[in-house]
Amino acid sequence: MTHHDDITAIRDRFLDAWGDLTPVIIPGVDTAQDEPDTAYCVLRVDPIDEARLTLSLDPDYEAIGLVWIDIYSLLSDGDAVAWNLADRAATILRDWRSNDGRVRCETASFRNGADEGEFMRLIINVKYRARH
């Protein structure tokens, strides 16, 4: 497996489970577009570090990364919409493992981001580990 495989597995899991609940924007993949006029999320998967696990001729490695999900909800909708979406996003990845068991996500952390225009922003981070 490679970092790209890890990123793809996590994105696929999230997008399949999220469905058409709200639009999902993936920076670097989706072309630039206007900000949606409804609640939406931005999904990023970033590898951070890698460590060697074995010293054999064909060593195993563990990659560590971070899933970063920004939830944007209209301020006029109140904070319940944003927190419901944040809980849904966290539940999708919480303690998830890929089918082959190589990628696993941990629990989520939450924090408020700065409001942007008419939108409230919540930030969800989920650490992941992957064996290569």
Side-chain angles (χ1 to χ4, degrees):
M1 287 191 73
T2 66
H3 290 299
H4 184 261
D5 295 328
D6 303 342
I7 293 167
T8 300
I10 294 168
R11 282 182 184 164
D12 288 349
R13 163 65 179 166
F14 186 84
L15 294 172
D16 288 346
W18 191 259
D20 61 359
L21 188 62
T22 63
V24 177
I25 298 170
I26 301 176
V29 174
D30 295 324
T31 57
Q33 61 186 26
D34 293 332
E35 188 173 63
D37 56 358
T38 184
Y40 67 98
C41 74
V42 177
L43 173 69
R44 285 188 12 221
V45 182
D46 297 320
I48 295 173
D49 199 7
E50 189 172 73
R52 183 183 308 219
L53 299 176
T54 61
L55 297 175
S56 66
L57 292 175
D58 188 19
D60 289 328
Y61 295 90
E62 181 179 61
I64 300 167
L66 187 68
V67 180
W68 185 292
I69 304 166
D70 290 321
I71 300 290
Y72 292 92
S73 176
L74 290 168
L75 289 167
S76 60
D77 289 342
D79 66 349
V81 171
W83 281 108
N84 284 333
L85 292 172
D87 286 340
R88 172 78 184 266
T91 300
I92 289 171
L93 295 176
R94 181 181 295 123
D95 298 325
W96 171 78
R97 287 181 182 259
S98 61
N99 290 336
D100 61 7
R102 290 183 173 264
V103 180
R104 59 185 161 78
C105 293
E106 298 178 3
T107 59
S109 65
F110 302 86
R111 67 181 184 278
N112 286 320
D115 293 344
E116 295 187 13
E118 298 177 14
F119 289 89
M120 172 185 184
R121 178 181 176 206
L122 295 177
I123 302 166
I124 301 103
N125 291 136
V126 179
K127 293 179 184 174
Y128 73 89
R129 296 178 180 277
R131 292 197 83 166
H132 298 179

